[in-house]
Amino acid sequence: MEQILWSYYENNAGKLHRMVDKILSKFGGLSDKDMDDFYSLANEVFVDVMRRYQDSQSFDAFLYSCLSNRIKTEMTRRNREKRKIDRVSIPIDTPVGDEEDTTIGDMIADDFTIEKELFEKSEDGYSRRMRLYLDRLSELQKGVLELSMAGYLPREIKEELQLSEKQYADCYAAIQSYRNVSVLL
């Protein structure tokens, strides 16, 4: 047993780390911190295997099998945790309350608004950044933005411009999209 222990832990646990690396190569997308976590897990498995090992099979094969099973179990647990987080996330445009006029995004405190940026005009009209932003919008999107700035509610905007729910949602999404708004930031 001492010979086995020595062979796996010489050169800073090189043999054990190589075995873990071989198993993890099937997964990918792991950070250095993840690798450290799995090396620590391998140490725990190694101690357990040392206690349970019987000479009826190869130690290397027994350790590899136990490590592989434990790593797969840990990967499954981690992925399950990620899915739990995804299930509780809520889009920022989710309506709040009974009315569809207010969204979660409206409730988040922030000092940046497109309206505020529009009103910060330079001598020749809009700021350079605002002109870049407006150039990215279609005429319909600009119409939705103007009515929104004038204080119209979404249902009033849809009525005024004769838009379907989808057309309004597409315009609003374009007005708020990071690709368009990024020139203002």
Side-chain angles (χ1 to χ4, degrees), residues 1-29:
M1 282 299 196
E2 190 172 316
Q3 180 67 25
I4 291 172
L5 183 64
W6 177 253
S7 72
Y8 275 93
Y9 281 93
E10 74 178 329
N11 296 325
N12 203 17
K15 186 174 180 180
L16 185 62
H17 286 195
R18 284 189 299 277
M19 189 177 281
V20 171
D21 291 342
K22 183 178 179 183
I23 295 167
L24 291 175
S25 69
K26 299 172 188 169
F27 294 100

Side-chain angles (χ1 to χ4, degrees), residues 3-114:
Q3 180 67 25
I4 291 172
L5 183 64
W6 177 253
S7 72
Y8 275 93
Y9 281 93
E10 74 178 329
N11 296 325
N12 203 17
K15 186 174 180 180
L16 185 62
H17 286 195
R18 284 189 299 277
M19 189 177 281
V20 171
D21 291 342
K22 183 178 179 183
I23 295 167
L24 291 175
S25 69
K26 299 172 188 169
F27 294 100
L30 298 171
S31 68
D32 289 340
K33 183 193 175 304
D34 291 326
M35 296 300 287
D36 288 341
D37 291 346
F38 284 107
Y39 292 147
S40 295
L41 181 71
N43 287 324
E44 293 172 19
V45 171
F46 186 84
V47 169
D48 182 54
V49 166
M50 288 289 285
R51 274 186 289 152
R52 295 183 323 159
Y53 176 68
Q54 298 169 358
D55 289 335
S56 60
Q57 62 181 348
S58 159
F59 182 83
D60 292 342
F62 183 55
L63 176 61
Y64 185 87
S65 173
C66 292
L67 266 176
S68 181
N69 289 335
R70 185 65 173 94
I71 287 173
K72 287 175 186 174
T73 300
E74 179 62 17
M75 291 298 270
T76 301
R77 186 194 66 75
R78 288 176 180 219
N79 288 332
R80 187 176 298 125
E81 290 299 316
K82 289 177 190 174
R83 285 192 305 272
K84 282 182 189 176
I85 291 169
D86 288 344
R87 280 189 292 229
V88 296
S89 63
I90 301 171
I92 198 162
D93 59 350
T94 301
V96 175
D98 294 336
E99 299 179 23
E100 293 183 12
D101 298 334
T102 305
T103 65
I104 290 176
D106 297 331
M107 305 304 227
I108 297 174
D110 188 0
D111 64 341
F112 174 81
T113 65
I114 292 172

Side-chain angles (χ1 to χ4, degrees), residues 114-142:
I114 292 172
E115 293 83 358
K116 179 180 169 186
E117 186 67 25
L118 268 173
F119 290 121
E120 290 180 4
K121 297 180 180 182
S122 63
E123 293 172 5
D124 59 339
Y126 296 119
S127 68
R128 183 186 63 77
R129 294 185 309 168
M130 182 50 70
R131 286 192 307 270
L132 283 171
Y133 169 74
L134 291 172
D135 286 343
R136 292 179 174 210
L137 301 179
S138 71
E139 291 304 314
L140 183 58
Q141 293 163 350
K142 288 177 190 174

Side-chain angles (χ1 to χ4, degrees), residues 119-183:
F119 290 121
E120 290 180 4
K121 297 180 180 182
S122 63
E123 293 172 5
D124 59 339
Y126 296 119
S127 68
R128 183 186 63 77
R129 294 185 309 168
M130 182 50 70
R131 286 192 307 270
L132 283 171
Y133 169 74
L134 291 172
D135 286 343
R136 292 179 174 210
L137 301 179
S138 71
E139 291 304 314
L140 183 58
Q141 293 163 350
K142 288 177 190 174
V144 170
L145 178 59
E146 286 175 26
L147 291 175
S148 178
M149 287 177 35
Y152 284 71
L153 297 172
R155 66 176 157 68
E156 295 170 328
I157 295 171
K158 288 183 267 186
E159 214 172 271
E160 179 76 23
L161 298 176
Q162 298 178 349
L163 298 175
S164 69
E165 183 68 38
K166 179 167 179 12
Q167 288 172 314
Y168 173 78
D170 290 345
C171 286
Y172 191 76
I175 290 167
Q176 298 291 328
S177 77
Y178 179 77
R179 187 182 75 75
N180 290 333
V181 173
S182 64
V183 297

